[in-house]
Structure formats: structure tokens, C-alpha cells
Amino acid sequence: MRLRNVTGSREIIAGSRFVVQEPFAHKGRWSTVFGNTNPICIEIGMGKGQFITTLAAQNPQINYIGIEKYSTVLLRAVQKMEVLELSNLKFIRMDAEDICEVFGKGEVAKLYLNFSDPWPKDRHAKRRLPSRQFLARYHQILSPDAYVEFKTDNQALFDFALEEITPAGWQVEAVTRDLHHDAVLNQGNIMTEYEQRFSEKGNPIYKYIIYR
Ligand code: SAM
């Protein structure tokens, strides 16, 4: 998702108090950014931020960090925060490939991936956010009892993601191939922008929850 022609988005992001400007400087010390020791949960590839802003508003006792690669997209989430002003939510503009340079060992309590880019070419498989290469990065930053939750409407990406779990040393807690008709897993489900768009078209939503 790349929005074009958003004039000055980089400058707005660089001046926003909701965006942590030097994330690498906080490795292992994110509690000080929030001023408390509440658990820290992250969403990678948060897009315009509908999911994480809703989650953060619902759970003030948990700290959230939304990570997004592009300023033009992150700008939309920043605009939401100017209205919401949530003290338990921060954003980072970065490529998640560098995630281990930003969070210390076991510093993150939970990780969400929603409608991650599919990178359909085989030679790009390692760029997919649920790939074994990314699971190895998540292993480093997540606490031992942490879960990763992944949602998508892309069947090929979901099949790939399921195949990556065991070789990466993770285990399945729950899986559904039709989230919106799964009475248990759909409880409290927060829709993302993509989820809303694709489920309105009739696409089933796939979800897994995994742990080590
Ligand atoms: N999660 C949102 C949703 O469900 O509506 C957005 C989904 S969109 C298809 C994927 C988003 O992930 C894009 O905004 C993209 O820029 C971001 N993204 C993809 N790869 C990323 C990476 N390596 N690091 C950070 N963000 C990434």
C-alpha cells in the first residue's frame, strides 16, 4: 500500500510527537519511552493504523508500537492520533528487516501481522513478514511466552506461512480459514482496513496464532 503525492508527508512524520524518531536509540529501554513498565505489543506493516489505534484505545494498560515502512501511509495513522491522543501508542517508520536493532531480547510481549504484502515471486519469499527469516527475528525480540497473530485474505501467503511454522521452531495455537465465521477466534476481532475491504468482497479471512 503506497499512497502517492502526499506533499510533505516525510516532514510531517519527522516532526510528529506520535512517531519515535530515533528508534534504534531505545533498544532495550522502550519502557522509558512510555514512562511505565506495561507490556509492549507491536504491529508490523500497520498501514493506516485502524487496527492498532482501536486496540490501543481498548487496552490502556498495554503499550503499543505500530511499524510502517512508508511515510505516505503512516501519515494517515498520525492524523488519526491527532484526534485520539493515546498515550499508550507510538509509531515507527522503518523497514521491519531491522527490527532486532530496535528491540532488545524478549522486549516485546506480542506481535501482530495483518494483511502482509504477499511478495508472490519465489525469490522474494524471505521478504514475506511470516517467512522463517522473519520468524527468526521475532524469536529474538519476543518474550518466551509471546504469541504472533497473523491475518490475511491471501490463500497462497497463508499456506506459505503455515509451512514456515515448524521449520522455524514455532507451534500452532489456533488456525482458521474463515475467521468471520469462527465463533471463538472472531470474538473481539478488530478489523483492519484491508480486512474490511476484502471481506466486503466476500473473501474469507485466514488467521493463525503461533508460539514457541
Ligand atoms: N495492516 C494493514 C491492513 O491490514 O489494512 C495494511 C496492509 S498493507 C497490504 C501492508 C503494509 O505493510 C503496507 O502499508 C506496507 O508498507 C507495510 N510493510 C510491508 N513490508 C514492510 C516492512 N518490511 N516493514 C514495515 N512495513 C512493511
Side-chain angles (χ1 to χ4, degrees), residues 1 43-47 67-70 73 94-96 114-115 117 129 192-194:
M1 173 168 36
E43 182 187 5
I44 298 182
M46 53 170 266
I67 295 170
E68 170 53 49
K69 192 154 61 167
Y70 294 112
V73 186
M94 64 174 282
D95 189 319
N114 291 315
F115 296 78
D117 292 339
L129 293 179
T192 77
E193 280 97 349
Y194 271 62

PDB file of all heavy atoms in Angstrom, residues 1 43-47 67-70 73 94-96 114-115 117 129 192-194, ligand 1:
ATOM      1  N   MET A   1       0.864  -1.179   0.000  1.00  0.00           N
ATOM      2  CA  MET A   1       0.000   0.000   0.000  1.00  0.00           C
ATOM      3  C   MET A   1       0.901   1.230   0.000  1.00  0.00           C
ATOM      4  O   MET A   1       1.628   1.482   0.948  1.00  0.00           O
ATOM      5  CB  MET A   1      -0.883  -0.003   1.240  1.00  0.00           C
ATOM      6  CG  MET A   1      -1.670   1.269   1.391  1.00  0.00           C
ATOM      7  SD  MET A   1      -2.956   1.203   2.632  1.00  0.00           S
ATOM      8  CE  MET A   1      -2.283   0.206   3.909  1.00  0.00           C
ATOM      9  N   GLU A  43       2.683  -4.039  16.021  1.00  0.00           N
ATOM     10  CA  GLU A  43       2.114  -4.476  14.741  1.00  0.00           C
ATOM     11  C   GLU A  43       3.094  -4.062  13.650  1.00  0.00           C
ATOM     12  O   GLU A  43       3.490  -2.888  13.582  1.00  0.00           O
ATOM     13  CB  GLU A  43       0.747  -3.829  14.466  1.00  0.00           C
ATOM     14  CG  GLU A  43       0.146  -4.349  13.148  1.00  0.00           C
ATOM     15  CD  GLU A  43      -1.130  -3.630  12.700  1.00  0.00           C
ATOM     16  OE1 GLU A  43      -1.548  -2.643  13.335  1.00  0.00           O
ATOM     17  OE2 GLU A  43      -1.694  -4.071  11.681  1.00  0.00           O
ATOM     18  N   ILE A  44       3.457  -5.011  12.805  1.00  0.00           N
ATOM     19  CA  ILE A  44       4.386  -4.712  11.707  1.00  0.00           C
ATOM     20  C   ILE A  44       3.582  -4.602  10.412  1.00  0.00           C
ATOM     21  O   ILE A  44       2.807  -5.508  10.081  1.00  0.00           O
ATOM     22  CB  ILE A  44       5.466  -5.802  11.581  1.00  0.00           C
ATOM     23  CG1 ILE A  44       6.290  -5.853  12.869  1.00  0.00           C
ATOM     24  CG2 ILE A  44       6.346  -5.553  10.368  1.00  0.00           C
ATOM     25  CD1 ILE A  44       7.425  -6.852  12.841  1.00  0.00           C
ATOM     26  N   GLY A  45       3.776  -3.497   9.695  1.00  0.00           N
ATOM     27  CA  GLY A  45       3.016  -3.263   8.464  1.00  0.00           C
ATOM     28  C   GLY A  45       1.613  -2.785   8.799  1.00  0.00           C
ATOM     29  O   GLY A  45       0.628  -3.280   8.272  1.00  0.00           O
ATOM     30  N   MET A  46       1.556  -1.778   9.659  1.00  0.00           N
ATOM     31  CA  MET A  46       0.252  -1.341  10.217  1.00  0.00           C
ATOM     32  C   MET A  46      -0.595  -0.534   9.245  1.00  0.00           C
ATOM     33  O   MET A  46      -1.764  -0.277   9.515  1.00  0.00           O
ATOM     34  CB  MET A  46       0.501  -0.497  11.448  1.00  0.00           C
ATOM     35  CG  MET A  46       1.467   0.616  11.143  1.00  0.00           C
ATOM     36  SD  MET A  46       1.605   1.822  12.424  1.00  0.00           S
ATOM     37  CE  MET A  46       0.437   2.987  11.880  1.00  0.00           C
ATOM     38  N   GLY A  47       0.016  -0.102   8.109  1.00  0.00           N
ATOM     39  CA  GLY A  47      -0.759   0.671   7.145  1.00  0.00           C
ATOM     40  C   GLY A  47      -1.283   1.954   7.759  1.00  0.00           C
ATOM     41  O   GLY A  47      -0.556   2.677   8.445  1.00  0.00           O
ATOM     42  N   ILE A  67       4.450  -0.243  13.364  1.00  0.00           N
ATOM     43  CA  ILE A  67       5.621  -0.093  12.488  1.00  0.00           C
ATOM     44  C   ILE A  67       5.158  -0.091  11.033  1.00  0.00           C
ATOM     45  O   ILE A  67       4.397  -0.966  10.620  1.00  0.00           O
ATOM     46  CB  ILE A  67       6.615  -1.243  12.750  1.00  0.00           C
ATOM     47  CG1 ILE A  67       7.154  -1.115  14.183  1.00  0.00           C
ATOM     48  CG2 ILE A  67       7.748  -1.250  11.717  1.00  0.00           C
ATOM     49  CD1 ILE A  67       7.941  -2.300  14.659  1.00  0.00           C
ATOM     50  N   GLU A  68       5.613   0.903  10.294  1.00  0.00           N
ATOM     51  CA  GLU A  68       5.206   1.035   8.885  1.00  0.00           C
ATOM     52  C   GLU A  68       6.387   1.584   8.084  1.00  0.00           C
ATOM     53  O   GLU A  68       7.103   2.473   8.545  1.00  0.00           O
ATOM     54  CB  GLU A  68       3.981   1.965   8.788  1.00  0.00           C
ATOM     55  CG  GLU A  68       3.595   2.384   7.399  1.00  0.00           C
ATOM     56  CD  GLU A  68       3.389   1.238   6.415  1.00  0.00           C
ATOM     57  OE1 GLU A  68       2.669   0.271   6.738  1.00  0.00           O
ATOM     58  OE2 GLU A  68       3.966   1.301   5.320  1.00  0.00           O
ATOM     59  N   LYS A  69       6.553   1.023   6.878  1.00  0.00           N
ATOM     60  CA  LYS A  69       7.719   1.372   6.057  1.00  0.00           C
ATOM     61  C   LYS A  69       7.585   2.734   5.389  1.00  0.00           C
ATOM     62  O   LYS A  69       8.566   3.438   5.209  1.00  0.00           O
ATOM     63  CB  LYS A  69       7.896   0.270   5.002  1.00  0.00           C
ATOM     64  CG  LYS A  69       9.186   0.320   4.274  1.00  0.00           C
ATOM     65  CD  LYS A  69       9.631  -1.032   3.720  1.00  0.00           C
ATOM     66  CE  LYS A  69       8.696  -1.660   2.722  1.00  0.00           C
ATOM     67  NZ  LYS A  69       9.319  -2.787   2.016  1.00  0.00           N
ATOM     68  N   TYR A  70       6.371   3.123   5.009  1.00  0.00           N
ATOM     69  CA  TYR A  70       6.215   4.319   4.165  1.00  0.00           C
ATOM     70  C   TYR A  70       5.558   5.496   4.895  1.00  0.00           C
ATOM     71  O   TYR A  70       4.480   5.352   5.483  1.00  0.00           O
ATOM     72  CB  TYR A  70       5.397   3.982   2.919  1.00  0.00           C
ATOM     73  CG  TYR A  70       6.127   3.014   2.032  1.00  0.00           C
ATOM     74  CD1 TYR A  70       5.666   1.714   1.857  1.00  0.00           C
ATOM     75  CD2 TYR A  70       7.308   3.387   1.381  1.00  0.00           C
ATOM     76  CE1 TYR A  70       6.354   0.813   1.060  1.00  0.00           C
ATOM     77  CE2 TYR A  70       8.005   2.491   0.585  1.00  0.00           C
ATOM     78  CZ  TYR A  70       7.519   1.209   0.428  1.00  0.00           C
ATOM     79  OH  TYR A  70       8.210   0.321  -0.350  1.00  0.00           O
ATOM     80  N   VAL A  73       1.899   6.396   4.039  1.00  0.00           N
ATOM     81  CA  VAL A  73       0.863   5.559   4.661  1.00  0.00           C
ATOM     82  C   VAL A  73       0.757   5.904   6.159  1.00  0.00           C
ATOM     83  O   VAL A  73      -0.335   6.110   6.685  1.00  0.00           O
ATOM     84  CB  VAL A  73       1.199   4.057   4.487  1.00  0.00           C
ATOM     85  CG1 VAL A  73       0.065   3.200   5.005  1.00  0.00           C
ATOM     86  CG2 VAL A  73       1.504   3.729   3.033  1.00  0.00           C
ATOM     87  N   MET A  94       9.942   2.506   9.619  1.00  0.00           N
ATOM     88  CA  MET A  94      11.161   1.726   9.363  1.00  0.00           C
ATOM     89  C   MET A  94      10.806   0.467   8.587  1.00  0.00           C
ATOM     90  O   MET A  94       9.644   0.086   8.505  1.00  0.00           O
ATOM     91  CB  MET A  94      11.836   1.313  10.686  1.00  0.00           C
ATOM     92  CG  MET A  94      10.977   0.374  11.518  1.00  0.00           C
ATOM     93  SD  MET A  94      11.816  -0.261  12.998  1.00  0.00           S
ATOM     94  CE  MET A  94      12.840  -1.529  12.264  1.00  0.00           C
ATOM     95  N   ASP A  95      11.835  -0.158   8.048  1.00  0.00           N
ATOM     96  CA  ASP A  95      11.679  -1.479   7.442  1.00  0.00           C
ATOM     97  C   ASP A  95      11.874  -2.516   8.554  1.00  0.00           C
ATOM     98  O   ASP A  95      12.884  -2.474   9.267  1.00  0.00           O
ATOM     99  CB  ASP A  95      12.730  -1.670   6.340  1.00  0.00           C
ATOM    100  CG  ASP A  95      12.460  -2.930   5.534  1.00  0.00           C
ATOM    101  OD1 ASP A  95      12.091  -3.966   6.133  1.00  0.00           O
ATOM    102  OD2 ASP A  95      12.606  -2.874   4.302  1.00  0.00           O
ATOM    103  N   ALA A  96      10.926  -3.421   8.675  1.00  0.00           N
ATOM    104  CA  ALA A  96      10.966  -4.407   9.767  1.00  0.00           C
ATOM    105  C   ALA A  96      12.171  -5.335   9.683  1.00  0.00           C
ATOM    106  O   ALA A  96      12.460  -6.049  10.650  1.00  0.00           O
ATOM    107  CB  ALA A  96       9.676  -5.214   9.769  1.00  0.00           C
ATOM    108  N   ASN A 114      -0.861  -8.085   9.923  1.00  0.00           N
ATOM    109  CA  ASN A 114      -2.173  -8.046   9.291  1.00  0.00           C
ATOM    110  C   ASN A 114      -2.045  -7.737   7.807  1.00  0.00           C
ATOM    111  O   ASN A 114      -1.517  -6.707   7.432  1.00  0.00           O
ATOM    112  CB  ASN A 114      -3.046  -6.972   9.954  1.00  0.00           C
ATOM    113  CG  ASN A 114      -3.429  -7.355  11.373  1.00  0.00           C
ATOM    114  OD1 ASN A 114      -3.809  -8.496  11.625  1.00  0.00           O
ATOM    115  ND2 ASN A 114      -3.309  -6.417  12.303  1.00  0.00           N
ATOM    116  N   PHE A 115      -2.501  -8.683   6.987  1.00  0.00           N
ATOM    117  CA  PHE A 115      -2.568  -8.475   5.537  1.00  0.00           C
ATOM    118  C   PHE A 115      -1.210  -8.036   4.979  1.00  0.00           C
ATOM    119  O   PHE A 115      -1.102  -7.049   4.247  1.00  0.00           O
ATOM    120  CB  PHE A 115      -3.713  -7.522   5.187  1.00  0.00           C
ATOM    121  CG  PHE A 115      -5.030  -8.142   5.556  1.00  0.00           C
ATOM    122  CD1 PHE A 115      -5.451  -8.159   6.884  1.00  0.00           C
ATOM    123  CD2 PHE A 115      -5.808  -8.779   4.616  1.00  0.00           C
ATOM    124  CE1 PHE A 115      -6.630  -8.797   7.253  1.00  0.00           C
ATOM    125  CE2 PHE A 115      -6.985  -9.418   4.978  1.00  0.00           C
ATOM    126  CZ  PHE A 115      -7.395  -9.424   6.299  1.00  0.00           C
ATOM    127  N   ASP A 117       2.223  -7.860   2.884  1.00  0.00           N
ATOM    128  CA  ASP A 117       2.438  -7.919   1.435  1.00  0.00           C
ATOM    129  C   ASP A 117       2.816  -9.347   1.034  1.00  0.00           C
ATOM    130  O   ASP A 117       3.667  -9.961   1.680  1.00  0.00           O
ATOM    131  CB  ASP A 117       3.552  -6.948   1.025  1.00  0.00           C
ATOM    132  CG  ASP A 117       3.130  -5.496   1.210  1.00  0.00           C
ATOM    133  OD1 ASP A 117       1.913  -5.224   1.254  1.00  0.00           O
ATOM    134  OD2 ASP A 117       4.013  -4.625   1.317  1.00  0.00           O
ATOM    135  N   LEU A 129       6.573 -11.203   5.583  1.00  0.00           N
ATOM    136  CA  LEU A 129       6.683 -10.998   7.029  1.00  0.00           C
ATOM    137  C   LEU A 129       6.432 -12.270   7.858  1.00  0.00           C
ATOM    138  O   LEU A 129       6.951 -12.363   8.965  1.00  0.00           O
ATOM    139  CB  LEU A 129       5.773  -9.848   7.473  1.00  0.00           C
ATOM    140  CG  LEU A 129       6.183  -8.456   6.946  1.00  0.00           C
ATOM    141  CD1 LEU A 129       5.195  -7.381   7.412  1.00  0.00           C
ATOM    142  CD2 LEU A 129       7.594  -8.069   7.381  1.00  0.00           C
ATOM    143  N   THR A 192      -9.028  -4.677  10.210  1.00  0.00           N
ATOM    144  CA  THR A 192      -8.063  -3.744   9.627  1.00  0.00           C
ATOM    145  C   THR A 192      -8.729  -3.125   8.386  1.00  0.00           C
ATOM    146  O   THR A 192      -9.787  -3.572   7.951  1.00  0.00           O
ATOM    147  CB  THR A 192      -6.775  -4.467   9.204  1.00  0.00           C
ATOM    148  OG1 THR A 192      -7.010  -5.177   7.983  1.00  0.00           O
ATOM    149  CG2 THR A 192      -6.295  -5.444  10.265  1.00  0.00           C
ATOM    150  N   GLU A 193      -8.070  -2.111   7.811  1.00  0.00           N
ATOM    151  CA  GLU A 193      -8.607  -1.507   6.582  1.00  0.00           C
ATOM    152  C   GLU A 193      -8.748  -2.561   5.473  1.00  0.00           C
ATOM    153  O   GLU A 193      -9.777  -2.652   4.816  1.00  0.00           O
ATOM    154  CB  GLU A 193      -7.700  -0.370   6.085  1.00  0.00           C
ATOM    155  CG  GLU A 193      -7.894   0.947   6.809  1.00  0.00           C
ATOM    156  CD  GLU A 193      -6.887   1.173   7.936  1.00  0.00           C
ATOM    157  OE1 GLU A 193      -6.154   0.234   8.307  1.00  0.00           O
ATOM    158  OE2 GLU A 193      -6.850   2.307   8.461  1.00  0.00           O
ATOM    159  N   TYR A 194      -7.689  -3.361   5.286  1.00  0.00           N
ATOM    160  CA  TYR A 194      -7.721  -4.380   4.228  1.00  0.00           C
ATOM    161  C   TYR A 194      -8.764  -5.453   4.527  1.00  0.00           C
ATOM    162  O   TYR A 194      -9.440  -5.936   3.635  1.00  0.00           O
ATOM    163  CB  TYR A 194      -6.333  -5.017   4.068  1.00  0.00           C
ATOM    164  CG  TYR A 194      -5.454  -4.292   3.087  1.00  0.00           C
ATOM    165  CD1 TYR A 194      -5.072  -2.978   3.311  1.00  0.00           C
ATOM    166  CD2 TYR A 194      -4.999  -4.904   1.933  1.00  0.00           C
ATOM    167  CE1 TYR A 194      -4.272  -2.300   2.419  1.00  0.00           C
ATOM    168  CE2 TYR A 194      -4.200  -4.235   1.021  1.00  0.00           C
ATOM    169  CZ  TYR A 194      -3.836  -2.934   1.280  1.00  0.00           C
ATOM    170  OH  TYR A 194      -3.035  -2.259   0.383  1.00  0.00           O
TER     171      TYR A 194
HETATM  172  N1  SAM B   1      -2.077  -3.930   8.032  1.00  0.00           N
HETATM  173  C1  SAM B   1      -2.835  -3.016   7.194  1.00  0.00           C
HETATM  174  C2  SAM B   1      -4.186  -3.566   6.915  1.00  0.00           C
HETATM  175  O1  SAM B   1      -4.408  -4.763   7.168  1.00  0.00           O
HETATM  176  O2  SAM B   1      -5.064  -2.817   6.481  1.00  0.00           O
HETATM  177  C3  SAM B   1      -2.069  -2.703   5.891  1.00  0.00           C
HETATM  178  C4  SAM B   1      -1.865  -3.860   4.967  1.00  0.00           C
HETATM  179  S1  SAM B   1      -0.843  -3.428   3.563  1.00  0.00           S
HETATM  180  C5  SAM B   1      -1.199  -4.680   2.423  1.00  0.00           C
HETATM  181  C6  SAM B   1       0.764  -3.903   4.113  1.00  0.00           C
HETATM  182  C7  SAM B   1       1.515  -2.779   4.796  1.00  0.00           C
HETATM  183  O3  SAM B   1       2.728  -3.286   5.323  1.00  0.00           O
HETATM  184  C8  SAM B   1       1.894  -1.643   3.861  1.00  0.00           C
HETATM  185  O4  SAM B   1       1.490  -0.409   4.412  1.00  0.00           O
HETATM  186  C9  SAM B   1       3.407  -1.759   3.741  1.00  0.00           C
HETATM  187  O5  SAM B   1       4.046  -0.520   3.504  1.00  0.00           O
HETATM  188  C10 SAM B   1       3.762  -2.374   5.068  1.00  0.00           C
HETATM  189  N2  SAM B   1       5.018  -3.147   5.026  1.00  0.00           N
HETATM  190  C11 SAM B   1       5.313  -4.133   4.152  1.00  0.00           C
HETATM  191  N3  SAM B   1       6.536  -4.627   4.386  1.00  0.00           N
HETATM  192  C12 SAM B   1       7.019  -3.944   5.461  1.00  0.00           C
HETATM  193  C13 SAM B   1       8.236  -3.999   6.183  1.00  0.00           C
HETATM  194  N4  SAM B   1       9.218  -4.831   5.825  1.00  0.00           N
HETATM  195  N5  SAM B   1       8.397  -3.166   7.222  1.00  0.00           N
HETATM  196  C14 SAM B   1       7.424  -2.288   7.580  1.00  0.00           C
HETATM  197  N6  SAM B   1       6.254  -2.193   6.917  1.00  0.00           N
HETATM  198  C15 SAM B   1       6.043  -3.010   5.879  1.00  0.00           C
END
